[in-house]
Amino acid sequence: MTATRLTDTYRHQGLRRKLTELLRQKGIMDESVLNAIFTVPRHYFFDSSFLEFAYEDKAFPIGSGQTISQPYTVAFQSELLKVSPHMRVLEIGTGSGYQACILAEMGAKVYTIERQKLLFDKTKDLLPKMNFRIRPFYGDGYKGLPAHAPFDRILITAAAPNIPNELLSQLKVGGVMVVPVGEDVQTMYRLERSSETEFISEKHGMFRFVPMLSDKAKDI
Ligand code: SAH
């Protein structure tokens, strides 16, 4: 990791301000989300030769066949989640760690699971440098983290073939899960647990994510 990569300049801040305004124009309204996008240096999550792509509103490859989600998608999911300070949030699909940092910048205590060992190792080394309350776990997100449940919020950042029941059971009553469901394209679901046995379900448009894989965590 080069010093250049973890340096945040006025130029980077200017690009982030533009990106934040673009997301506002695209309909993101939650000021805590917009503030997090403006504050967290997205270029820290890129290899240094790709820095110029960091503030475009696009997904980008991060190795191991995975992508860092498009900023609009990160903002959209974060807004649907409605995060308040000190909430315990479980993220499935750590990837680059960017989304986890956005949630942490919004004040959440973040638990995040990644099933690809190479990505997990890379991101686990980066996260402590960001000074956020984030605990990374290597494993299968379908199982969640029963030892740390229940959670106020659960965010799935890979395409789930259906709504994962094991994860719903790890949500507090009053808690919210946001999950893209489907194969080639996904419907964004927001599920609020209204009682032990009931969930209020809403659909929020179509998105495209890399698939959430169900076999056990493996090295690639
Ligand atoms: N949130 C990430 C982007 C996610 S891309 C970011 O901000 O960069 C989706 C990620 O989900 C990939 O890293 C992929 O390896 C991971 N993934 C896929 N299936 C998974 C599973 N069953 N458990 C945990 N992570 C999984």
Side-chain angles (χ1 to χ4, degrees):
M1 181 168 308
T2 62
T4 332
R5 187 181 148 213
L6 292 191
T7 302
D8 194 30
T9 64
Y10 284 120
R11 186 174 153 263
H12 293 121
Q13 287 164 31
L15 291 170
R16 280 209 295 289
R17 186 175 296 285
K18 278 195 187 140
L19 176 62
T20 307
E21 286 317 308
L22 178 66
L23 297 183
R24 200 189 288 280
Q25 282 164 25
K26 288 187 172 183
I28 303 298
M29 287 181 290
D30 184 332
E31 289 299 330
S32 68
V33 172
L34 292 165
N35 180 62
I37 297 277
F38 177 61
T39 306
V40 177
R42 190 167 182 261
H43 65 280
Y44 287 7
F45 304 84
F46 281 57
D47 291 330
S48 52
S49 43
F50 298 118
L51 288 186
E52 69 266 34
F53 296 104
Y55 295 108
E56 292 183 8
D57 188 21
K58 288 184 182 151
F60 199 81
I62 52 173
S64 308
Q66 303 304 323
T67 56
I68 180 171
S69 303
Q70 181 181 351
Y72 175 74
T73 305
V74 170
F76 189 83
Q77 287 198 299
S78 304
E79 181 164 81
L80 280 183
L81 214 53
K82 284 211 183 358
V83 175
S84 309
H86 311 301
M87 278 185 173
R88 288 154 42 79
V89 181
L90 173 63
E91 180 197 24
I92 310 301
T94 313
S96 68
Y98 177 66
Q99 170 77 73
C101 289
I102 292 291
L103 297 170
E105 174 63 33
M106 292 167 73
K109 179 170 186 205
V110 182
Y111 299 75
T112 181
I113 309 177
E114 174 57 53
R115 70 178 282 284
Q116 292 211 37
K117 189 72 165 76
L118 277 180
L119 267 180
F120 171 78
D121 287 341
K122 189 173 170 191
T123 303
K124 182 179 57 124
D125 289 346
L126 172 67
L127 287 175
K129 302 186 177 116
M130 308 289 295
N131 286 326
F132 283 125
R133 292 191 300 174
I134 301 176
R135 290 185 60 181
F137 293 82
Y138 169 56
D140 180 3
Y142 276 101
K143 299 194 174 78
L145 290 174
H148 299 277
F151 295 95
D152 298 290
R153 300 287 185 263
I154 298 179
L155 176 60
I156 302 182
T157 67
N162 39 49
I163 294 167
N165 282 331
E166 176 55 36
L167 293 178
L168 280 183
S169 75
Q170 295 181 24
L171 201 57
K172 278 183 194 169
V173 172
V176 173
M177 177 191 286
V178 171
V179 51
V181 180
E183 310 229 318
D184 292 345
V185 290
Q186 297 85 44
T187 303
M188 190 70 79
Y189 278 85
R190 181 183 197 273
L191 300 147
E192 190 169 337
R193 185 169 200 170
S194 50
S195 76
E196 277 299 327
T197 52
E198 290 160 308
F199 292 86
I200 299 166
S201 163
E202 294 170 1
K203 293 180 189 176
H204 290 272
M206 306 303 284
F207 289 80
R208 249 179 225 278
F209 286 77
V210 296
M212 182 168 171
L213 301 168
S214 58
D215 49 333
K216 64 179 176 10
K218 63 174 186 189
D219 292 20
I220 294 201

